[in-house]
Amino acid sequence: MKLKVTVKRQKDPQSPPYEQSFLYQGEGATVAGIIRKINQRENLTDINGEPAEKIGWECGCMLRKCGACAMIINGRPSLACSQYIEADGELFLAPLSKFPVVRDLIVDREHIFKSLYKAALWLDENMGYDEEHHAARFSSSNCIMCGCCLEVCPEFSLGEDNYSGAVLPVNSYRIADREEEPQHLKQISKQYQKAFFSGCGQSLSCNKICPCNLPVEELIVKSNAINVWKRRKNKK
Ligand code: SF4
Ligand code: SF4
Ligand code: FES
C-alpha cells in the first residue's frame, strides 16, 4: 500500500498550525499503526526529504477503550486505533477542532471530564440490577469520552456557556435511572437541564458519529425523559 499522509501540525498551543506530508509504504494498517510506523523511522523526513519532528499523538489502549486517539481522519472524527486503511491514496489527519490543541494531533479534552463532574453523576447507594433496562445502561457505560460527538455538534464550543453536548445525556442515563435519593436526583436534573437540555438544538448530528456505535439518540431520549419530563417508569 502506498499512501500520502498529510498531518495538520502545531508545535505547541501558541504556534500557528501548518501541514506536513509523509510517504507511507507498507501493509494495510490502522491509522494508529501508520503513525507509529512513520514515527519509528530514524531521521524522519517528510515527503520532500526535509527533516521532520515525530508526529505528536496519544493513545492509551489501542483497543477503542480510552478515547485518547480521537482525531479527524479524512474529514470525519474517529479513533486512530480502530480506523483501518488498506487502499492506496491519501490520508489527511487533523486534531479535533473543538478542543485546545496541545501538540499536533493531541488535544485537551478536560472540558468533558469537568462537565461530567459538575453533572453530579454518582450514586448515593449501590445500584440494583434491572434486567429490562440493563442493555441501555450498559450502552451508557461504554462511552469512552472521546469527544467525536462534540466535534460534529453545531451547538458545542468551548465558550462561556459550558454546554456539555451529547456526552452528558449518554452518561447521565445510567445514573439518573437508578438514583433513589430525591435531593441528589434533583441536583442531577437541574444541572442536566442547564448544561444540556436548554442548549441542545436536536439536530442529531451526534447520532451516527460515535466510534463505539452507542445509541446516542436513544440515550438522549431516555435521559430527557428522566431529567426533564420526570418519567421514570423503571423506578424500583
Ligand atoms: S457518546 Fe460516543 S462519540 Fe460521544 S464521547 Fe461517548 S464514545 Fe465518544
Ligand atoms: S442533538 Fe444536535 S445539538 Fe443536541 S447534542 Fe446532538 S449534535 Fe448537539
Ligand atoms: S488508543 Fe484508546 S481508544 Fe484508541
Side-chain angles (χ1 to χ4, degrees):
M1 182 176 73
K2 194 171 174 183
L3 208 57
K4 179 183 175 188
V5 182
T6 301
V7 184
K8 185 177 177 192
R9 307 195 66 172
Q10 193 169 327
K11 207 173 163 53
D12 54 51
Q14 283 75 40
S15 302
Y18 64 100
E19 290 180 10
Q20 190 167 37
S21 299
F22 300 87
L23 189 62
Y24 172 83
Q25 282 177 296
E27 308 229 315
T30 60
V31 170
I34 290 169
I35 298 172
R36 284 175 85 162
K37 283 267 163 55
I38 291 172
N39 276 348
Q40 278 165 2
R41 290 177 198 160
E42 269 183 46
N43 304 321
L44 179 61
T45 54
D46 68 12
I47 204 162
N48 300 315
E50 297 294 327
E53 295 286 326
K54 291 191 189 305
I55 301 164
W57 73 296
E58 62 179 359
C59 65
C61 66
M62 298 296 269
L63 292 168
R64 206 167 62 178
K65 295 284 179 217
C66 73
C69 68
M71 61 182 70
I72 300 177
I73 300 172
N74 287 337
R76 187 181 166 89
S78 192
L79 300 174
C81 69
S82 58
Q83 191 80 38
Y84 204 78
I85 308 287
E86 51 192 345
D88 290 357
E90 294 199 25
L91 179 62
F92 186 79
L93 306 177
L96 294 180
S97 69
K98 298 279 183 91
F99 300 93
V101 173
V102 176
R103 182 166 66 92
D104 291 345
L105 302 168
I106 304 170
V107 296
D108 180 354
R109 292 176 296 132
E110 186 186 24
H111 176 87
I112 298 178
F113 312 123
K114 276 191 170 164
S115 72
L116 292 179
Y117 177 72
K118 270 199 244 166
L121 297 184
W122 58 81
L123 285 168
D124 282 344
E125 289 183 22
N126 289 342
M127 75 172 186
Y129 176 74
D130 160 23
E131 186 150 357
E132 191 188 346
H133 299 95
H134 185 69
R137 292 214 318 280
F138 184 70
S139 293
S140 165
S141 72
N142 278 331
C143 173
I144 59 173
M145 298 161 208
C146 62
C148 290
C149 57
L150 305 184
E151 180 67 24
V152 298
C153 176
E155 309 297 338
F156 178 80
S157 64
L158 287 186
E160 297 280 302
D161 63 353
N162 283 322
Y163 176 63
S164 70
V167 162
L168 179 47
V170 165
N171 285 278
S172 177
Y173 172 67
R174 69 180 180 279
I175 305 295
D177 174 66
R178 291 285 91 189
E179 181 55 278
E180 294 295 325
E181 207 286 304
Q183 283 311 315
H184 185 203
L185 190 55
K186 212 168 154 187
Q187 183 189 5
I188 292 173
S189 295
K190 193 174 165 200
Q191 183 60 22
Y192 182 90
Q193 294 186 39
K194 186 172 158 212
F196 175 72
F197 189 74
S198 62
C200 174
Q202 300 177 13
S203 61
L204 289 180
S205 317
C206 54
N207 192 35
K208 300 278 183 210
I209 204 77
C210 178
C212 300
N213 299 317
L214 299 190
V216 174
E217 180 182 5
E218 180 191 332
L219 291 167
I220 290 175
V221 170
K222 285 179 182 294
S223 285
N224 285 350
I226 298 169
N227 288 311
V228 182
W229 312 119
K230 312 296 177 199
R231 290 184 207 128
R232 199 155 69 131
K233 285 181 277 185
N234 47 324
K235 195 173 175 183
K236 282 189 289 185

